[in-house]
Amino acid sequence: MAAVTVDRDRLVRTFLDLVAIDSPTGQEQRIGVELERRFTELGADVRRDEAGNLIATLAGGPGEGFLISTHMDTVGTDVGIRPVIGDDGVIRTDGSTILGADDKAGIASCLELLTLLGEHPELPHPTIEFVVSVAEEAGLVGSRQLDVARLRSTHGYVFDTAGAIGSITYWAPTAMDVDITVHGRKAHAGVEPEKGVDALRVAAEAIAAMPLGRIDDETVAGIGILAGGEARNVVSATAVLTGQARSHDQGKLDKQLAAMRAAVDAAARRHGATYEFVAEEIYHTYHIDPVAKPYRDAARAIRAHGIEVIDRKSGGGTDGNFLNARGIPCVGLATGMVDEHATSEHIAIDDMVAACAILLTIATQQQ
């Protein structure tokens, strides 16, 4: 049987078609409709859940069925993305927006995989469930509402990670959202500031005392937003700090959260303020053993293309965190995207083709 290869031009066209549809988090309606149409036309049984997640099932033969996880939203608020294909075979934007390869490159590869399996019915494959979530970039909101009990897959692949082609993300951290509200006392800043308790000052001193940034090789933390005050001549009565802490090690994460709380507590005590400190787990760590089926099958497929397998310990979360937590072991696979979430985001066409070829091998290699 002649080798089946990815159609490079078709894959690029599909990717560009998807990029042309604006889909910032919360605005996935148009792309959801388009994906429902495309997956249906390619022979999948498609349904949408109440959250808007799309689940497309391609029936297959014997073997353990698996899922491929992607997401349809793009980070931030960028719209009107204008992709540019360079002479070097790399797709970028004009520099004013993100590209959206995160995760439209992953979706394009899934559609190409479906197309190839439809064109070559002689290719054996088990049942494949394509799970395309909404609001992934807002904290895995869509996958958190996914009814995993309705899925039949025994394992899966999250086609939504960076890194060199051949990378397998086997370990991801736990992430805790941190919300801190400081309560001071309002006063006229020009007439009697001494009667006030400046909540913004307390917040600033707390931030300055917190260990933030790269704490160690497994732990990071940051305060992303500081808001408060009502006028320039009023001592601020309230300040709100919004941040996050992540770690692969629960003990280190607990220690980091305690240090952040202690910094707020000390600053509040110095100035007579009060505060609330709320830490909520957004997703939980996972660690997939190399002998587990998703890792083993992915590694075999990667090596079949003469590519080196690269173990990747990620600092970010994906829908894979929730799928793993709910009993479906998954690893992350590189799509080829680089500098995701930035206006410098780009993807090499060769990498996109290679990633899709690996996906095809995973789907069709003997169980």
Side-chain angles (χ1 to χ4, degrees):
M1 181 173 65
V4 176
T5 58
V6 173
D7 188 319
R8 179 187 181 93
D9 292 340
R10 181 173 61 201
L11 177 60
V12 171
R13 285 197 305 272
T14 299
F15 174 66
L16 295 178
D17 286 347
L18 297 178
V19 168
I21 303 174
D22 295 331
S23 59
T25 303
Q27 301 177 43
E28 298 101 325
Q29 294 84 356
R30 282 184 57 219
I31 195 164
V33 170
E34 176 65 13
L35 292 176
E36 187 170 356
R37 180 188 70 80
R38 287 183 180 242
F39 276 101
T40 300
E41 288 182 354
L42 291 171
D45 178 26
V46 180
R47 63 181 174 87
R48 302 285 296 278
D49 65 15
E50 292 184 3
N53 299 309
L54 181 149
I55 301 92
T57 303
L58 180 68
E64 294 183 48
F66 65 88
L67 65 80
I68 303 172
S69 169
T70 57
H71 64 89
M72 67 180 79
D73 64 316
T74 53
V75 73
T77 59
D78 288 354
V79 295
I81 296 170
R82 294 187 290 272
V84 178
I85 302 177
D87 293 338
D88 56 357
V90 176
I91 305 176
R92 303 176 174 85
T93 71
D94 60 2
S96 63
T97 67
I98 61 166
L99 176 60
D102 178 9
D103 187 27
K104 290 176 179 177
I107 299 173
S109 286
C110 289
L111 292 170
E112 175 65 12
L113 171 62
L114 267 173
T115 303
L116 290 169
L117 294 177
E119 290 175 342
H120 299 276
E122 74 278 7
L123 290 176
H125 64 84
T127 295
I128 306 171
E129 293 176 304
F130 298 87
V131 179
V132 190
S133 68
V134 296
E136 191 269 356
E137 298 289 5
L140 317 186
V141 172
S143 65
R144 283 198 271 172
Q145 300 177 66
L146 186 67
D147 185 0
V148 175
R150 295 190 63 182
L151 300 176
R152 296 293 174 260
S153 297
T154 63
H155 61 288
Y157 305 92
V158 180
F159 214 46
D160 175 34
T161 62
I165 297 300
S167 297
I168 299 178
T169 299
Y170 71 101
W171 198 352
T174 295
M176 302 288 293
D177 276 359
V178 177
D179 294 286
I180 305 163
T181 303
V182 178
H183 300 285
R185 184 169 59 250
K186 184 162 61 173
H188 194 299
V191 177
E192 46 188 8
E194 61 277 353
K195 289 186 177 181
V197 175
D198 192 340
L200 279 172
R201 179 177 178 178
V202 173
E205 290 183 10
I207 292 172
M210 289 179 187
L212 298 174
R214 171 69 63 184
I215 309 304
D216 56 45
D217 62 350
E218 294 187 310
T219 311
V220 297
I223 299 295
I225 302 172
L226 169 60
E230 58 183 88
R232 68 181 70 229
N233 61 345
V234 177
V235 174
S236 56
T238 305
V240 178
L241 300 83
T242 304
Q244 193 175 81
R246 304 183 186 193
S247 184
H248 297 83
D249 182 284
Q250 188 62 48
K252 291 180 178 180
L253 184 57
D254 291 343
K255 181 179 178 181
Q256 174 61 30
L257 292 170
M260 295 171 77
R261 180 189 291 271
V264 179
D265 186 76
R269 287 176 182 274
R270 279 195 301 274
H271 296 281
T274 60
Y275 67 93
E276 290 104 37
F277 187 104
V278 178
E280 178 188 6
E281 183 177 288
I282 301 304
Y283 50 82
H284 196 70
T285 184
Y286 70 84
H287 184 200
I288 300 297
D289 194 282
V291 300
K293 186 170 179 58
Y295 186 104
R296 189 176 68 244
D297 286 1
R300 182 154 61 104
I302 290 166
R303 293 188 182 107
H305 289 271
I307 299 172
E308 178 186 1
V309 173
I310 304 169
D311 288 339
R312 184 171 183 266
K313 184 178 179 180
S314 173
T318 67
D319 289 334
N321 287 73
F322 275 98
L323 293 167
N324 275 288
R326 295 178 182 180
I328 302 178
C330 298
V331 294
L333 298 179
T335 64
M337 61 182 173
V338 179
D339 287 356
E340 66 277 16
H341 296 198
T343 55
S344 56
E345 182 184 10
H346 58 280
I347 189 166
I349 296 173
D350 285 348
D351 285 347
M352 194 157 53
V353 171
C356 187
I358 290 168
L359 205 58
L360 175 64
T361 301
I362 290 172
T364 57
Q365 65 188 355
Q366 295 300 308
Q367 298 285 303

Short mmCIF file of all heavy atoms in Angstrom, two decimals, residues 274-325:
data_model
loop_
_atom_site.label_atom_id
_atom_site.label_comp_id
_atom_site.label_asym_id
_atom_site.label_seq_id
_atom_site.Cartn_x
_atom_site.Cartn_y
_atom_site.Cartn_z
N THR A 274 -7.86 45.56 56.57
CA THR A 274 -8.30 44.17 56.60
C THR A 274 -8.24 43.63 55.17
O THR A 274 -8.09 44.40 54.21
CB THR A 274 -9.72 44.03 57.16
OG1 THR A 274 -10.63 44.78 56.33
CG2 THR A 274 -9.80 44.54 58.60
N TYR A 275 -8.37 42.33 55.04
CA TYR A 275 -8.27 41.75 53.70
C TYR A 275 -8.97 40.40 53.62
O TYR A 275 -9.22 39.76 54.64
CB TYR A 275 -6.81 41.58 53.29
CG TYR A 275 -6.07 40.54 54.10
CD1 TYR A 275 -5.98 39.22 53.66
CD2 TYR A 275 -5.48 40.86 55.32
CE1 TYR A 275 -5.32 38.25 54.41
CE2 TYR A 275 -4.81 39.91 56.08
CZ TYR A 275 -4.74 38.61 55.61
OH TYR A 275 -4.09 37.66 56.35
N GLU A 276 -9.28 40.00 52.39
CA GLU A 276 -9.70 38.63 52.11
C GLU A 276 -8.70 38.03 51.13
O GLU A 276 -8.28 38.71 50.18
CB GLU A 276 -11.10 38.56 51.49
CG GLU A 276 -12.23 38.90 52.44
CD GLU A 276 -12.78 40.30 52.16
OE1 GLU A 276 -12.84 40.68 50.98
OE2 GLU A 276 -13.11 41.00 53.13
N PHE A 277 -8.34 36.80 51.35
CA PHE A 277 -7.37 36.10 50.49
C PHE A 277 -8.04 34.79 50.05
O PHE A 277 -8.32 33.92 50.87
CB PHE A 277 -6.09 35.82 51.27
CG PHE A 277 -4.97 35.23 50.46
CD1 PHE A 277 -3.88 36.02 50.08
CD2 PHE A 277 -4.97 33.89 50.09
CE1 PHE A 277 -2.83 35.48 49.35
CE2 PHE A 277 -3.93 33.35 49.36
CZ PHE A 277 -2.85 34.15 48.98
N VAL A 278 -8.31 34.68 48.75
CA VAL A 278 -9.00 33.49 48.23
C VAL A 278 -8.10 32.83 47.18
O VAL A 278 -7.68 33.48 46.21
CB VAL A 278 -10.35 33.84 47.59
CG1 VAL A 278 -11.02 32.60 47.02
CG2 VAL A 278 -11.27 34.51 48.63
N ALA A 279 -7.79 31.57 47.38
CA ALA A 279 -7.01 30.79 46.41
C ALA A 279 -7.87 29.63 45.92
O ALA A 279 -8.34 28.82 46.73
CB ALA A 279 -5.73 30.27 47.05
N GLU A 280 -8.09 29.56 44.62
CA GLU A 280 -8.95 28.53 44.04
C GLU A 280 -8.18 27.71 43.01
O GLU A 280 -7.54 28.29 42.11
CB GLU A 280 -10.17 29.16 43.38
CG GLU A 280 -11.10 28.17 42.70
CD GLU A 280 -12.19 28.84 41.88
OE1 GLU A 280 -12.16 30.07 41.75
OE2 GLU A 280 -13.06 28.10 41.37
N GLU A 281 -8.24 26.40 43.13
CA GLU A 281 -7.57 25.55 42.15
C GLU A 281 -8.31 25.61 40.82
O GLU A 281 -9.51 25.34 40.75
CB GLU A 281 -7.51 24.10 42.64
CG GLU A 281 -6.76 23.19 41.68
CD GLU A 281 -6.61 21.77 42.19
OE1 GLU A 281 -5.81 21.57 43.11
OE2 GLU A 281 -7.31 20.88 41.66
N ILE A 282 -7.60 25.95 39.77
CA ILE A 282 -8.18 26.05 38.43
C ILE A 282 -7.96 24.76 37.66
O ILE A 282 -8.82 24.31 36.91
CB ILE A 282 -7.57 27.25 37.67
CG1 ILE A 282 -7.84 28.53 38.44
CG2 ILE A 282 -8.14 27.35 36.26
CD1 ILE A 282 -9.31 28.78 38.73
N TYR A 283 -6.81 24.17 37.82
CA TYR A 283 -6.59 22.83 37.27
C TYR A 283 -5.51 22.14 38.07
O TYR A 283 -4.69 22.79 38.72
CB TYR A 283 -6.24 22.86 35.78
CG TYR A 283 -5.13 23.81 35.37
CD1 TYR A 283 -3.79 23.47 35.50
CD2 TYR A 283 -5.45 25.04 34.80
CE1 TYR A 283 -2.79 24.33 35.09
CE2 TYR A 283 -4.45 25.91 34.40
CZ TYR A 283 -3.12 25.55 34.54
OH TYR A 283 -2.13 26.40 34.15
N HIS A 284 -5.54 20.81 38.02
CA HIS A 284 -4.67 20.00 38.84
C HIS A 284 -3.55 19.39 38.00
O HIS A 284 -3.72 19.11 36.82
CB HIS A 284 -5.47 18.88 39.52
CG HIS A 284 -4.75 18.23 40.66
ND1 HIS A 284 -4.51 18.86 41.86
CD2 HIS A 284 -4.18 16.99 40.77
CE1 HIS A 284 -3.85 18.05 42.66
NE2 HIS A 284 -3.62 16.91 42.02
N THR A 285 -2.42 19.17 38.64
CA THR A 285 -1.28 18.59 37.95
C THR A 285 -1.58 17.19 37.40
O THR A 285 -2.47 16.49 37.89
CB THR A 285 -0.07 18.50 38.91
OG1 THR A 285 1.07 18.02 38.19
CG2 THR A 285 -0.36 17.56 40.07
N TYR A 286 -0.84 16.81 36.36
CA TYR A 286 -0.83 15.41 35.93
C TYR A 286 0.58 15.02 35.57
O TYR A 286 1.41 15.87 35.23
CB TYR A 286 -1.78 15.17 34.74
CG TYR A 286 -1.34 15.78 33.42
CD1 TYR A 286 -0.43 15.13 32.58
CD2 TYR A 286 -1.86 17.00 33.00
CE1 TYR A 286 -0.05 15.68 31.38
CE2 TYR A 286 -1.47 17.57 31.80
CZ TYR A 286 -0.57 16.91 30.99
OH TYR A 286 -0.17 17.46 29.80
N HIS A 287 0.87 13.74 35.67
CA HIS A 287 2.20 13.20 35.37
C HIS A 287 1.99 11.84 34.72
O HIS A 287 1.57 10.89 35.39
CB HIS A 287 3.02 13.10 36.65
CG HIS A 287 4.43 12.65 36.42
ND1 HIS A 287 5.23 12.11 37.41
CD2 HIS A 287 5.20 12.67 35.30
CE1 HIS A 287 6.41 11.81 36.91
NE2 HIS A 287 6.41 12.14 35.64
N ILE A 288 2.26 11.74 33.43
CA ILE A 288 2.04 10.50 32.68
C ILE A 288 3.35 9.72 32.58
O ILE A 288 4.38 10.24 32.13
CB ILE A 288 1.50 10.80 31.26
CG1 ILE A 288 0.17 11.54 31.35
CG2 ILE A 288 1.34 9.50 30.47
CD1 ILE A 288 -0.94 10.78 32.01
N ASP A 289 3.30 8.47 32.98
CA ASP A 289 4.47 7.61 32.93
C ASP A 289 4.79 7.21 31.49
O ASP A 289 3.87 7.00 30.69
CB ASP A 289 4.20 6.34 33.76
CG ASP A 289 5.47 5.56 34.04
OD1 ASP A 289 5.94 4.85 33.12
OD2 ASP A 289 5.96 5.63 35.18
N PRO A 290 6.06 7.11 31.13
CA PRO A 290 6.43 6.72 29.76
C PRO A 290 5.88 5.37 29.31
O PRO A 290 5.81 5.10 28.12
CB PRO A 290 7.96 6.71 29.79
CG PRO A 290 8.31 7.67 30.87
CD PRO A 290 7.25 7.49 31.92
N VAL A 291 5.51 4.49 30.27
CA VAL A 291 4.98 3.19 29.87
C VAL A 291 3.47 3.24 29.65
O VAL A 291 2.88 2.28 29.17
CB VAL A 291 5.31 2.10 30.92
CG1 VAL A 291 6.80 1.96 31.10
CG2 VAL A 291 4.62 2.39 32.25
N ALA A 292 2.83 4.37 29.98
CA ALA A 292 1.38 4.51 29.78
C ALA A 292 1.08 4.59 28.29
O ALA A 292 1.89 5.09 27.49
CB ALA A 292 0.86 5.74 30.50
N LYS A 293 -0.08 4.12 27.90
CA LYS A 293 -0.42 3.99 26.48
C LYS A 293 -0.31 5.30 25.69
O LYS A 293 0.27 5.30 24.59
CB LYS A 293 -1.81 3.38 26.30
CG LYS A 293 -2.14 3.09 24.84
CD LYS A 293 -3.40 2.29 24.71
CE LYS A 293 -3.74 2.02 23.25
NZ LYS A 293 -2.67 1.30 22.52
N PRO A 294 -0.85 6.43 26.16
CA PRO A 294 -0.75 7.63 25.32
C PRO A 294 0.68 8.06 25.06
O PRO A 294 1.02 8.43 23.93
CB PRO A 294 -1.53 8.69 26.11
CG PRO A 294 -1.60 8.18 27.50
CD PRO A 294 -1.62 6.69 27.39
N TYR A 295 1.52 7.97 26.08
CA TYR A 295 2.94 8.32 25.88
C TYR A 295 3.60 7.30 24.95
O TYR A 295 4.30 7.67 24.01
CB TYR A 295 3.66 8.36 27.23
CG TYR A 295 5.09 8.85 27.12
CD1 TYR A 295 5.44 10.13 27.51
CD2 TYR A 295 6.10 8.02 26.59
CE1 TYR A 295 6.75 10.58 27.40
CE2 TYR A 295 7.39 8.47 26.48
CZ TYR A 295 7.71 9.75 26.88
OH TYR A 295 9.00 10.21 26.75
N ARG A 296 3.37 6.04 25.21
CA ARG A 296 4.03 4.97 24.45
C ARG A 296 3.65 5.04 22.97
O ARG A 296 4.53 4.95 22.08
CB ARG A 296 3.63 3.62 25.04
CG ARG A 296 4.41 2.43 24.48
CD ARG A 296 4.02 1.16 25.20
NE ARG A 296 2.65 0.74 24.91
CZ ARG A 296 1.67 0.67 25.79
NH1 ARG A 296 1.89 1.01 27.06
NH2 ARG A 296 0.46 0.26 25.45
N ASP A 297 2.37 5.19 22.67
CA ASP A 297 1.93 5.23 21.27
C ASP A 297 2.40 6.50 20.58
O ASP A 297 2.77 6.47 19.39
CB ASP A 297 0.42 5.13 21.19
CG ASP A 297 -0.09 3.72 21.48
OD1 ASP A 297 0.75 2.83 21.76
OD2 ASP A 297 -1.31 3.49 21.43
N ALA A 298 2.40 7.63 21.30
CA ALA A 298 2.89 8.87 20.70
C ALA A 298 4.38 8.76 20.38
O ALA A 298 4.83 9.16 19.31
CB ALA A 298 2.62 10.04 21.63
N ALA A 299 5.14 8.21 21.31
CA ALA A 299 6.58 8.07 21.10
C ALA A 299 6.88 7.16 19.92
O ALA A 299 7.78 7.44 19.11
CB ALA A 299 7.24 7.53 22.37
N ARG A 300 6.11 6.08 19.80
CA ARG A 300 6.32 5.16 18.68
C ARG A 300 6.04 5.85 17.34
O ARG A 300 6.78 5.67 16.36
CB ARG A 300 5.42 3.94 18.86
CG ARG A 300 5.58 2.86 17.79
CD ARG A 300 5.19 1.51 18.34
NE ARG A 300 3.81 1.46 18.77
CZ ARG A 300 2.83 0.87 18.06
NH1 ARG A 300 3.10 0.29 16.91
NH2 ARG A 300 1.61 0.84 18.52
N ALA A 301 4.98 6.65 17.31
CA ALA A 301 4.63 7.36 16.07
C ALA A 301 5.68 8.41 15.72
O ALA A 301 6.06 8.56 14.55
CB ALA A 301 3.26 8.02 16.22
N ILE A 302 6.18 9.12 16.71
CA ILE A 302 7.20 10.14 16.46
C ILE A 302 8.47 9.50 15.91
O ILE A 302 9.05 9.97 14.92
CB ILE A 302 7.49 10.90 17.77
CG1 ILE A 302 6.28 11.78 18.15
CG2 ILE A 302 8.74 11.77 17.64
CD1 ILE A 302 6.32 12.29 19.57
N ARG A 303 8.89 8.41 16.53
CA ARG A 303 10.11 7.73 16.07
C ARG A 303 9.93 7.14 14.68
O ARG A 303 10.90 7.03 13.92
CB ARG A 303 10.50 6.64 17.07
CG ARG A 303 10.93 7.20 18.43
CD ARG A 303 11.50 6.12 19.33
NE ARG A 303 11.87 6.67 20.64
CZ ARG A 303 11.19 6.44 21.76
NH1 ARG A 303 10.12 5.65 21.75
NH2 ARG A 303 11.57 6.98 22.90
N ALA A 304 8.71 6.76 14.33
CA ALA A 304 8.44 6.21 13.00
C ALA A 304 8.74 7.23 11.90
O ALA A 304 8.99 6.85 10.75
CB ALA A 304 6.99 5.75 12.90
N HIS A 305 8.75 8.51 12.26
CA HIS A 305 9.06 9.56 11.29
C HIS A 305 10.51 10.02 11.40
O HIS A 305 10.89 11.03 10.79
CB HIS A 305 8.11 10.75 11.49
CG HIS A 305 6.70 10.46 11.06
ND1 HIS A 305 6.25 10.67 9.79
CD2 HIS A 305 5.65 9.93 11.76
CE1 HIS A 305 4.98 10.30 9.70
NE2 HIS A 305 4.59 9.85 10.88
N GLY A 306 11.30 9.27 12.17
CA GLY A 306 12.71 9.61 12.30
C GLY A 306 12.95 10.85 13.14
O GLY A 306 14.00 11.50 13.02
N ILE A 307 12.00 11.16 14.01
CA ILE A 307 12.10 12.36 14.85
C ILE A 307 12.41 11.93 16.28
O ILE A 307 11.89 10.93 16.77
CB ILE A 307 10.78 13.16 14.80
CG1 ILE A 307 10.50 13.62 13.36
CG2 ILE A 307 10.84 14.37 15.74
CD1 ILE A 307 9.14 14.26 13.18
N GLU A 308 13.25 12.69 16.94
CA GLU A 308 13.61 12.39 18.32
C GLU A 308 12.46 12.74 19.26
O GLU A 308 11.83 13.80 19.13
CB GLU A 308 14.85 13.19 18.72
CG GLU A 308 15.30 12.97 20.16
CD GLU A 308 16.43 13.89 20.57
OE1 GLU A 308 16.87 14.71 19.73
OE2 GLU A 308 16.87 13.80 21.74
N VAL A 309 12.20 11.85 20.20
CA VAL A 309 11.19 12.12 21.23
C VAL A 309 11.81 13.02 22.30
O VAL A 309 12.90 12.76 22.80
CB VAL A 309 10.69 10.81 21.87
CG1 VAL A 309 9.77 11.11 23.05
CG2 VAL A 309 9.97 9.95 20.83
N ILE A 310 11.10 14.09 22.62
CA ILE A 310 11.58 15.06 23.62
C ILE A 310 10.58 15.09 24.76
O ILE A 310 9.42 15.48 24.58
CB ILE A 310 11.72 16.46 23.00
CG1 ILE A 310 12.65 16.43 21.79
CG2 ILE A 310 12.21 17.45 24.05
CD1 ILE A 310 12.64 17.71 20.98
N ASP A 311 11.01 14.69 25.95
CA ASP A 311 10.16 14.79 27.13
C ASP A 311 10.01 16.26 27.50
O ASP A 311 11.00 16.98 27.64
CB ASP A 311 10.77 14.03 28.31
CG ASP A 311 10.69 12.53 28.13
OD1 ASP A 311 9.83 12.09 27.35
OD2 ASP A 311 11.47 11.81 28.77
N ARG A 312 8.78 16.69 27.71
CA ARG A 312 8.52 18.10 28.01
C ARG A 312 7.71 18.24 29.28
O ARG A 312 6.61 17.69 29.39
CB ARG A 312 7.80 18.79 26.84
CG ARG A 312 7.57 20.28 27.03
CD ARG A 312 7.06 20.90 25.74
NE ARG A 312 6.89 22.34 25.86
CZ ARG A 312 5.74 22.92 26.20
NH1 ARG A 312 4.66 22.19 26.44
NH2 ARG A 312 5.65 24.23 26.29
N LYS A 313 8.28 18.97 30.22
CA LYS A 313 7.60 19.30 31.47
C LYS A 313 7.08 20.72 31.31
O LYS A 313 7.86 21.67 31.27
CB LYS A 313 8.58 19.18 32.63
CG LYS A 313 8.01 19.40 34.01
CD LYS A 313 9.12 19.20 35.04
CE LYS A 313 8.65 19.41 36.45
NZ LYS A 313 9.74 19.22 37.44
N SER A 314 5.79 20.88 31.23
CA SER A 314 5.21 22.17 30.88
C SER A 314 4.90 23.01 32.10
O SER A 314 4.55 22.49 33.17
CB SER A 314 3.91 21.95 30.08
OG SER A 314 3.24 23.18 29.86
N GLY A 315 4.99 24.32 31.94
CA GLY A 315 4.58 25.24 32.99
C GLY A 315 3.16 25.73 32.80
O GLY A 315 2.64 26.46 33.63
N GLY A 316 2.53 25.32 31.70
CA GLY A 316 1.17 25.77 31.40
C GLY A 316 0.15 24.66 31.55
O GLY A 316 0.49 23.48 31.64
N GLY A 317 -1.09 25.06 31.55
CA GLY A 317 -2.19 24.10 31.63
C GLY A 317 -2.91 23.99 30.31
O GLY A 317 -2.89 24.91 29.49
N THR A 318 -3.52 22.85 30.08
CA THR A 318 -4.35 22.63 28.90
C THR A 318 -5.59 21.86 29.34
O THR A 318 -5.72 21.47 30.51
CB THR A 318 -3.61 21.80 27.83
OG1 THR A 318 -3.40 20.46 28.34
CG2 THR A 318 -2.27 22.42 27.44
N ASP A 319 -6.47 21.62 28.39
CA ASP A 319 -7.64 20.79 28.70
C ASP A 319 -7.21 19.40 29.17
O ASP A 319 -7.98 18.69 29.82
CB ASP A 319 -8.55 20.68 27.47
CG ASP A 319 -9.27 21.99 27.18
OD1 ASP A 319 -9.48 22.78 28.12
OD2 ASP A 319 -9.64 22.21 26.02
N GLY A 320 -5.98 19.03 28.87
CA GLY A 320 -5.46 17.75 29.33
C GLY A 320 -5.42 17.63 30.84
O GLY A 320 -5.54 16.53 31.39
N ASN A 321 -5.26 18.76 31.54
CA ASN A 321 -5.29 18.70 33.00
C ASN A 321 -6.63 18.17 33.50
O ASN A 321 -6.68 17.35 34.42
CB ASN A 321 -5.03 20.09 33.60
CG ASN A 321 -3.58 20.52 33.47
OD1 ASN A 321 -3.12 20.86 32.39
ND2 ASN A 321 -2.85 20.51 34.58
N PHE A 322 -7.71 18.63 32.90
CA PHE A 322 -9.04 18.18 33.33
C PHE A 322 -9.33 16.76 32.87
O PHE A 322 -9.91 15.96 33.60
CB PHE A 322 -10.12 19.13 32.82
CG PHE A 322 -10.32 20.30 33.73
CD1 PHE A 322 -9.72 21.50 33.45
CD2 PHE A 322 -11.07 20.19 34.89
CE1 PHE A 322 -9.86 22.58 34.29
CE2 PHE A 322 -11.21 21.26 35.75
CZ PHE A 322 -10.61 22.46 35.45
N LEU A 323 -8.92 16.43 31.65
CA LEU A 323 -9.16 15.08 31.15
C LEU A 323 -8.41 14.06 32.00
O LEU A 323 -8.96 13.01 32.34
CB LEU A 323 -8.76 14.99 29.69
CG LEU A 323 -9.63 15.82 28.73
CD1 LEU A 323 -8.98 15.93 27.36
CD2 LEU A 323 -11.03 15.22 28.61
N ASN A 324 -7.17 14.37 32.34
CA ASN A 324 -6.41 13.47 33.21
C ASN A 324 -7.07 13.36 34.58
O ASN A 324 -7.18 12.26 35.14
CB ASN A 324 -4.97 13.98 33.35
CG ASN A 324 -4.07 13.50 32.23
OD1 ASN A 324 -3.71 12.33 32.16
ND2 ASN A 324 -3.71 14.41 31.35
N ALA A 325 -7.50 14.48 35.13
CA ALA A 325 -8.12 14.46 36.45
C ALA A 325 -9.41 13.65 36.47
O ALA A 325 -9.81 13.12 37.51
CB ALA A 325 -8.40 15.90 36.91
#
